[in-house]
Amino acid sequence: LYKEDVYTKESIAKYREYIESVPKLKNTKDIKQLVQLIKEFDNATFTYLRFNTDELKRLVSIAESRNKDEYNIVSLEKFTQALNHAKDWINQTESYRPQINETSEHVKNLTNAINGLIKKNGEKGEQVPPKENLNLLNLDLTLYLQNL
């Protein structure tokens, strides 16, 4: 339910700590304490969990490395808009957790905008390099070390 590709590893750990720290409901608690505990528990996902924006940050870094003077104004306008929306989303998710996770939408839009850049001479701009799968790299390294 709470995966690192959706939420940051740190926020999952904080949420887990919170859940484990919540005292078990006992019949001896008064109704006011129970209501307060339930309210806090309901809000815990918004308080502790943060959406994982690592891939979007990678794309922003790629986008910011592009020389804007090389591209035609039409493709550059879409690119700039997607880049600004991506940066806004990253800032939002760092300060609070929106109800709906729009990270994958921003990843798609920024990827398309970067890949859609057209140079002034009519050539396509440099495409987004594929994301490295660190899990596969770690697995390959583990297998390699086991075979030594």
Side-chain angles (χ1 to χ4, degrees), residues 17 37 73 75-76 96-97 122 128 131:
E17 284 175 25
L37 189 60
I73 195 154
S75 66
L76 192 58
Y96 70 95
R97 192 191 118 192
V128 173
K131 178 176 120 175

Side-chain angles (χ1 to χ4, degrees), residues 68-79:
K68 281 69 171 174
D69 296 332
E70 293 182 7
Y71 301 102
N72 76 35
I73 195 154
V74 175
S75 66
L76 192 58
E77 189 174 320
K78 284 182 175 181
F79 166 83

Side-chain angles (χ1 to χ4, degrees), residues 55-117:
E55 176 62 5
L56 189 57
K57 287 176 184 176
R58 180 184 83 91
L59 291 170
V60 166
S61 177
I62 291 168
E64 289 178 333
S65 72
R66 299 293 193 254
N67 181 355
K68 281 69 171 174
D69 296 332
E70 293 182 7
Y71 301 102
N72 76 35
I73 195 154
V74 175
S75 66
L76 192 58
E77 189 174 320
K78 284 182 175 181
F79 166 83
T80 303
Q81 185 178 20
L83 177 58
N84 289 337
H85 286 302
K87 287 179 178 180
D88 288 345
W89 178 253
I90 290 168
N91 289 334
Q92 285 178 31
T93 60
E94 288 176 352
S95 59
Y96 70 95
R97 192 191 118 192
Q99 288 189 349
I100 298 171
N101 186 359
E102 297 176 4
T103 305
S104 61
E105 181 180 330
H106 290 288
V107 165
K108 180 179 132 200
N109 291 342
L110 187 53
T111 300
N112 290 341
I114 294 169
N115 289 342
L117 282 170

